[in-house]
């Protein structure tokens, strides 16, 4: 197996890591996998007497996650908890939640000789993730699953959770970091993105709205996923049903509006997250309605009146915040999100801001859709 190209120079560590975990048979395949912006993800296959076994190997991005052990405690605690809930509901825990593979000395992750952290999950067969909504039903399925996920985690002991990225969806704190990046202008890029900088500043009054309501206790704090992109959910190849919520690295206390809003940002955009033809970017009202309905159904009546009323704001804030994070990273020299081309973060930022602008045009309709959907479900 040639690991050289795969692991960006850390090939012997990758081999070392793979050998540490309990895997059946011998390694037969190892290749990069998926479109995540943060971790290094690889598909692994082994050949054993009873046939082929598939896994997902990940190197945790420690530039982003400073406490990988705390993070892995969250992941093992949450997956264990979900496994029990799924068994109680007569589901299949091997497909409906992530399963961590243990190391030979009984740990759920491994730190290699140069300090990188690795983990292996059982590969979920017969299901896939999607970067765009193929049909509204996909989005409806993902909405129900993310809503249900939040409902299940309501019983999770919050005190046991590590905050893997403090202030992750604290939009005012993100705004401060953005202003500092503009001010430092460490890569000399600020002059070329004045229009985008202005776009954020013009919305400064919106930025603290959700955080203030959370602080005042008007919005409830919940255990949330915090990264509810469509490609963080697996849809069954046969039935099209959402079977498993993945990418559990950012499970932390938060607002339901973060999970709802981030899904709208990614999935209800008629263009892609990094679309360069901004005429393709808009909010699909059909998909907005579809997701709202699915999420409310998945939450099974657990959202408060104010949470429901604030759903359009959740969608707009998650989109503005994400665009601002892409812009901040662009200003700081692309050190956070993995990029695949020059100015990729700027393209991503522009697509987010075009979506925010379109939401503002459709603001009253968005409110109407949320109110109508919620009243139909009562
Ligand atoms: P990132 O944090 O970088 O987004 P993810 O954990 O979301 O990483 O994984 C990246 C991709 O790998 C996912 O979008 C999905 O396609 C695939 N993937 C992750 N875990 C599994 C799994 N257990 N089974 C099958 N595919 C998976
Ligand atoms: C990152 O890991 P991934 O690709 O699912 C990011 C999210 C952003 C998203 C934008 C830990 O998610 O917060 O919304 O990119 N994750 C982290 O696509 O920062
Ligand atoms: Mg992901």
């Amino acid at each position: 197996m040639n690991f050289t190209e795969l692991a960006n120079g850390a090939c012997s560590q990758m081999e070392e890591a793979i050998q540490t975990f309990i895997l059946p048979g011998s390694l037969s395949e190892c290749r990069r996998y998926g479109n995540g912006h943060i971790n290094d993800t690889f598909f692994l296959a082994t050949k054993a007497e009873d046939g082929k076994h598939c896994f997902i190997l990940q190197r945790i991005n420690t530039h982003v996650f400073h406490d990988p052990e705390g993070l892995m405690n969250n992941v093992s605690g949450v997956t264990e908890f979900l496994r029990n809930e799924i068994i109680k509901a007569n589901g299949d825990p091997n497909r409906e939640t992530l399963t961590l593979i243990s190391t030979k000395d009984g740990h759920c992750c491994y730190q290699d000789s140069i300090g990188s952290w690795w983990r292996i999950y059982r590969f979920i067969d017969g299901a896939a993730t999607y970067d765009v909504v193929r049909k509204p039903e996909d989005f409806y399925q993902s909405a129900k699953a993310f809503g249900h996920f939040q409902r299940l985690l309501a019983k999770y002991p919050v005190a046991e959770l590590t905050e893997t990225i403090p202030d992750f969806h604290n939009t005012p704190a993100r705004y401060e970091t953005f202003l500092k990046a503009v001010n430092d202008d460490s890569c000399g890029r600020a002059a070329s993105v004045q229009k985008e900088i202005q776009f954020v500043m013009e919305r400064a009054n919106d930025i603290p709205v959700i955080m203030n309501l959370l602080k005042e206790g008007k919005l409830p704090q919940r255990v949330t996923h915090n990264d509810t992109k469509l490609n963080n959910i697996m849809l069954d190849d046969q039935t099209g049903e959402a079977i498993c919520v993945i990418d559990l690295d950012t499970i932390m206390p938060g607002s339901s509006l973060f999970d709802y809003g981030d899904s709208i940002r990614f999935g209800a955009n008629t263009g892609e997250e990094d679309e360069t033809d901004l005429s393709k970017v808009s909010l699909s009202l059909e998909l907005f309605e579809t997701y709202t309905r699915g999420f409310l159904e998945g939450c099974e009546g657990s959202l408060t009146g104010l949470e429901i009323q604030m759903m359009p704001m959740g969608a707009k804030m998650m989109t503005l915040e994400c665009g601002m994070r892409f812009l901040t990273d662009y200003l700081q020299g692309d050190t956070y999100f993995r990029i695949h081309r020059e100015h990729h973060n700027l393209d991503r930022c522009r697509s987010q801001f075009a979506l925010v602008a379109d939401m503002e045009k459709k603001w009253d309709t968005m409110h109407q859709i949320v109110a109508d959907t919620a009243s139909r479900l009562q």
Side-chain angles (χ1 to χ4, degrees):
M1 185 76 46
N2 180 6
F3 293 103
T4 318
E5 240 178 76
L6 281 174
N8 298 338
C11 45
S12 64
Q13 283 75 28
M14 186 176 195
E15 245 181 301
E16 178 192 321
I18 293 171
Q19 278 161 14
T20 305
F21 289 87
I22 304 172
L23 298 177
S26 56
L27 191 66
S28 56
E29 234 180 299
C30 179
R31 57 185 155 84
R32 273 203 174 265
Y33 197 77
N35 290 326
H37 297 339
I38 303 294
N39 294 314
D40 283 318
T41 301
F42 307 90
F43 171 85
L44 291 187
T46 64
K47 215 195 271 168
E49 274 174 15
D50 60 347
K52 186 177 171 184
H53 296 258
C54 303
F55 303 91
I56 286 286
L57 166 72
Q58 285 184 320
R59 177 167 46 193
I60 300 169
N61 183 333
T62 44
H63 172 65
V64 167
F65 297 108
H66 298 166
D67 177 8
E69 282 175 299
L71 180 154
M72 289 308 295
N73 266 333
N74 285 2
V75 175
S76 68
V78 167
T79 50
E80 201 49 45
F81 174 86
L82 293 174
R83 176 166 293 272
N84 287 331
E85 294 294 318
I86 292 161
I87 292 170
K88 273 192 240 159
N90 293 321
D92 175 356
N94 288 337
R95 292 193 86 223
E96 294 171 31
T97 186
L98 289 170
T99 307
L100 282 163
I101 302 295
S102 176
T103 64
K104 288 170 186 159
D105 53 8
H107 293 109
C108 63
C109 54
Y110 170 68
Q111 186 177 30
D112 70 24
S113 50
I114 59 165
S116 299
W117 288 84
W118 300 82
R119 66 179 169 213
I120 297 185
Y121 291 118
R122 185 196 292 254
F123 187 86
I124 297 170
D125 278 315
T129 55
Y130 296 91
D131 289 316
V132 286
V133 173
R134 295 170 307 172
K135 48 186 188 323
E137 177 64 19
D138 286 356
F139 204 37
Y140 171 72
Q141 285 294 330
S142 77
K144 257 190 19 184
F146 277 128
H148 181 66
F149 185 79
Q150 185 167 111
R151 183 96 185 101
L152 279 182
L153 290 183
K155 291 179 241 151
Y156 193 78
V158 189
E160 285 177 20
L161 282 177
T162 297
E163 213 179 343
T164 56
I165 303 181
D167 290 330
F168 192 58
H169 284 309
N170 182 339
T171 319
R174 296 277 185 193
Y175 185 54
E176 289 308 315
T177 308
F178 158 75
L179 291 178
K180 187 171 179 319
V182 173
N183 200 43
D184 292 351
D185 195 17
S186 58
C187 297
R189 287 174 162 179
S192 62
V193 291
Q194 280 307 307
K195 217 172 98 189
E196 287 73 20
I197 293 172
Q198 280 311 314
F199 187 90
V200 180
M201 289 180 168
E202 282 160 11
R203 287 156 184 81
N205 288 341
D206 286 340
I207 282 176
V209 170
I210 292 177
M211 245 13 236
N212 286 347
L213 291 170
L214 266 174
K215 276 194 214 140
E216 291 160 12
K218 292 180 181 159
L219 282 173
Q221 196 167 64
R222 301 183 183 276
V223 175
T224 47
H225 181 282
N226 295 305
D227 188 5
T228 51
K229 295 200 283 198
L230 183 69
N231 66 14
N232 284 333
I233 203 144
M234 305 214 51
L235 302 183
D236 188 283
D237 293 341
Q238 300 298 322
T239 64
E241 269 174 64
I243 52 156
C244 184
V245 172
I246 61 167
D247 204 345
L248 307 176
D249 299 339
T250 50
I251 289 184
M252 285 178 278
S255 163
S256 60
L257 297 173
F258 301 159
D259 283 1
Y260 169 79
D262 197 49
S263 288
I264 299 291
R265 169 192 81 75
F266 190 83
N269 185 350
T270 54
E272 294 201 29
E273 188 185 61
D274 58 357
E275 181 59 65
T276 50
D277 177 355
L278 296 182
S279 69
K280 291 188 184 156
V281 173
S282 67
L283 176 78
S284 158
L285 288 172
E286 183 196 0
L287 292 179
F288 179 75
E289 188 277 329
T290 302
Y291 194 90
T292 304
R293 181 163 42 86
F295 193 76
L296 287 172
E297 283 176 16
C299 289
E300 296 165 30
S302 61
L303 298 189
T304 67
L306 187 61
E307 280 176 300
I308 295 172
Q309 198 186 313
M310 294 296 288
M311 282 172 132
M313 193 50 140
K316 180 173 155 181
M317 261 320 97
M318 286 300 99
T319 312
L320 182 67
E321 180 191 277
C322 194
M324 184 166 73
R325 291 175 61 198
F326 288 141
L327 184 55
T328 303
D329 198 30
Y330 182 72
L331 290 166
Q332 292 176 334
D334 307 310
T335 59
Y336 187 95
F337 296 103
R338 184 180 300 118
I339 55 165
H340 303 288
R341 57 176 187 253
E342 220 193 339
H343 308 307
H344 203 168
N345 274 317
L346 181 57
D347 294 339
R348 289 170 174 152
C349 153
R350 287 181 172 150
S351 170
Q352 304 312 292
F353 290 173
L355 183 59
V356 170
D358 195 53
M359 286 179 184
E360 287 170 347
K361 280 192 209 141
K362 296 173 175 162
W363 198 238
D364 292 343
T365 316
M366 287 168 75
H367 274 280
Q368 198 55 55
I369 289 173
V370 168
D372 290 349
T373 310
S375 72
R376 265 202 306 275
L377 291 176
Q378 265 168 5

